[in-house]
Amino acid sequence: QVELVESGGGSVQAGGSLRLSCAASTYTTSRYCLGWFRQAPGKQPEGVAAIDSDNTTTYASSVKGRFTISKDNAKNTLHLQMNSLKPEDTAMYYCASTLQGVLGTYWLIRPGGYSYWGQGTQVTVSS
């Protein structure tokens, strides 16, 4: 059983920064794909950023250049550094993992590619 626990969410003003973390238990982050997803009220879940076992990263176009995904394999922790936040970034953010090391460009940033999900952490950006 993979357990993922997110932290680091909060409320910030537009232009501010937050760093999300996802601690993975019984799971080796170096071997598998991990991703960050978000869901705003009334909207479908969307992929934000993802990283595979080769450290290949992919980002949604809406966050490219502002967000950075990274892994600390020694601590089995996934991070998402979010800079220049905008009100439209407001959402519940989820960490997700899979037992595959490579998913391919299409599935790497799509919810359907992932089997394990955290409970989420809320990010609210005010204008």
Side-chain angles (χ1 to χ4, degrees):
Q1 182 71 22
V2 177
E3 183 178 358
L4 303 170
V5 180
E6 302 96 335
S7 61
S11 297
V12 295
Q13 289 191 327
S17 297
L18 284 173
R19 187 186 193 219
L20 305 185
S21 296
C22 173
S25 63
T26 67
Y27 187 82
T28 304
T29 55
S30 62
R31 294 184 181 178
Y32 307 114
C33 299
L34 296 117
W36 287 100
F37 297 82
R38 67 187 180 187
Q39 186 170 21
K43 294 188 176 182
Q44 292 293 318
E46 64 169 336
V48 175
I51 185 168
D52 69 14
S53 60
D54 293 330
N55 291 323
T56 298
T57 58
T58 188
Y59 296 90
S61 57
S62 59
V63 306
K64 198 171 293 184
R66 300 188 296 123
F67 291 10
T68 303
I69 190 171
S70 62
K71 293 188 294 184
D72 183 341
N73 291 327
K75 296 181 179 179
N76 283 334
T77 302
L78 180 71
H79 299 289
L80 183 69
Q81 179 66 44
M82 305 186 295
N83 298 328
S84 303
L85 282 161
K86 304 176 181 180
E88 51 263 43
D89 294 318
T90 295
M92 184 71 79
Y93 283 70
Y94 298 91
C95 169
S97 67
T98 176
L99 294 182
Q100 296 188 61
V102 177
L103 279 174
T105 305
Y106 182 83
W107 285 111
L108 185 58
I109 203 165
R110 283 178 170 76
Y114 294 81
S115 302
Y116 305 100
W117 294 81
Q119 293 300 307
T121 185
Q122 177 67 38
V123 171
T124 302
V125 185
S126 58
S127 58

